[in-house]
Amino acid sequence: MAKAITDLSKLCVHTITTKPWSLAEALEHYASAGVAGVTVWRNHVEPIGAAEAAKRLADSGLAVVSLCRGGFFPAETKAQREANIADNLEVIDIAAAIGAPLVVLVPGAVPGMPLEAGRAQIAAGIEAVLPHAEATGIKLAIEPLHPMYADDRSAVITLKQANDMAAAIGHPNLGVTVDVYHVWWDPDLEREIRRCGPRLLSYHICDWRTPTRGLVTDRGLMGEGCIALRQIRGWLEEAGFDGYHEVEIFSDAYWSGDQAAFLGQIVEAYRRHA
Ligand code: ZN
């Protein structure tokens, strides 16, 4: 079990967590709350463009931890798969432009496509964009998603599958992301976290609410649910992970409230439960 967190030097917040805020508003509030890092969602870059986002990020004093998100490689047609690859090349360029060292990949899936075929297309898509990632100095992380998303968001549903894929491709710019929301239930989680080693590139936290009111936008604040956050962080630390703890909460309930109050709750929950 990991020790209690005593400072905010590893706390990172995803801009999607405070979705109603613009990038500028998020950066200002995060910095004044003592948050150390930010993971930028593409939809927060698009309204102002990468050059302006880069300037605001540099001025914020926050560490730019990663860009979310690339991926979504599988498709029924070759033309669409090529379009998906082109989109990922663009995501890598945005990451380079804003100073994000990592792009997190939501692997993708097509309803009705066998999951094995989906995973083969994901691997092929990643291999197609890795040379550009390497040339621009950007790392890519495969994020396994909870199996409830296996139909249309991710054919990669366990950390083992993500590790297997990253190991098979075997590229220094490719690793994995552990998001507790997706993998907390996995009986192989401890073993697979230990297996990651230096492939473990990022760590996303929130909590699993009971009952869950929605499959996408009902994530809980740390401590609100049943995820053994400290135990999982302990496994990561023992595996050598020294990166940020990234709060990624999609929540219609929290998004509908006051975001400054919510950020205060995030900082408090992080100290108490993460
Ligand atoms: Zn995540």
Side-chain angles (χ1 to χ4, degrees):
M1 187 84 74
K3 289 198 190 91
I5 290 168
T6 55
D7 66 72
L8 305 182
S9 65
K10 295 284 188 194
L11 174 59
C12 166
V13 179
H14 283 226
T15 59
I16 194 79
T17 298
T18 54
K19 187 179 172 191
W21 276 340
S22 67
L23 182 63
E25 290 170 319
L27 295 175
E28 187 185 330
H29 282 94
Y30 296 177
S32 60
V35 173
V38 58
T39 277
V40 182
W41 276 59
R42 201 175 170 184
N43 55 298
H44 278 99
V45 175
E46 273 156 3
I48 55 174
E52 179 65 20
K55 188 170 164 298
R56 288 175 186 263
L57 286 160
D59 290 347
S60 74
L62 294 162
V64 185
V65 176
S66 64
L67 176 66
C68 281
R69 55 199 184 181
F72 294 98
F73 291 106
E76 296 283 10
T77 65
K78 187 165 183 281
Q80 186 59 50
R81 286 194 294 279
E82 285 172 356
N84 295 347
I85 285 168
D87 188 60
N88 277 274
L89 296 174
E90 191 183 328
V91 176
I92 291 167
D93 286 336
I94 295 169
I98 67 168
L102 175 70
V103 170
V104 178
L105 303 175
V106 170
V110 176
M113 180 186 288
L115 295 176
E116 301 75 20
R119 287 192 286 275
Q121 293 189 6
I122 292 160
I126 291 171
E127 288 188 297
V129 301
L130 268 169
H132 189 57
E134 184 173 18
T136 45
I138 302 296
K139 291 196 171 183
L140 307 177
I142 305 167
E143 179 174 19
L145 262 52
H146 191 284
M148 68 181 172
Y149 303 121
D151 56 342
D152 65 350
R153 284 173 194 252
S154 180
V156 178
I157 55 171
T158 63
L159 186 55
K160 180 179 188 305
Q161 289 174 342
N163 268 331
D164 286 349
M165 189 176 288
I169 294 171
H171 192 288
N173 286 60
L174 180 63
V176 300
T177 288
V178 169
D179 182 326
V180 295
Y181 191 74
H182 298 302
V183 299
W184 67 274
W185 56 272
D186 184 349
D188 294 331
L189 185 59
E190 179 180 4
R191 187 177 69 208
E192 290 297 322
I193 286 173
R194 292 185 194 284
R195 181 184 163 205
C196 292
R199 262 201 312 266
L200 189 43
L201 299 181
S202 65
Y203 175 48
H204 298 174
I205 57 173
C206 64
D207 215 333
W208 182 279
R209 285 177 43 85
T210 305
T212 282
R213 300 164 296 191
L215 298 187
V216 180
T217 53
D218 193 36
R219 295 189 182 203
L221 198 56
M222 295 76 74
E224 272 188 324
C226 57
I227 300 180
L229 286 161
R230 287 220 179 133
Q231 182 176 51
I232 295 172
R233 177 164 60 84
W235 294 337
L236 269 93
E237 288 169 358
E238 285 164 30
F241 182 75
D242 189 32
Y244 286 89
H245 312 138
E246 306 180 33
V247 178
E248 182 190 30
I249 298 174
F250 314 143
S251 167
D252 289 329
Y254 285 118
W255 289 336
S256 68
D258 178 80
Q259 297 302 288
F262 178 36
L263 183 60
Q265 288 178 281
I266 288 170
V267 171
E268 175 68 13
Y270 175 72
R271 288 184 187 278
R272 289 170 63 104
H273 301 290

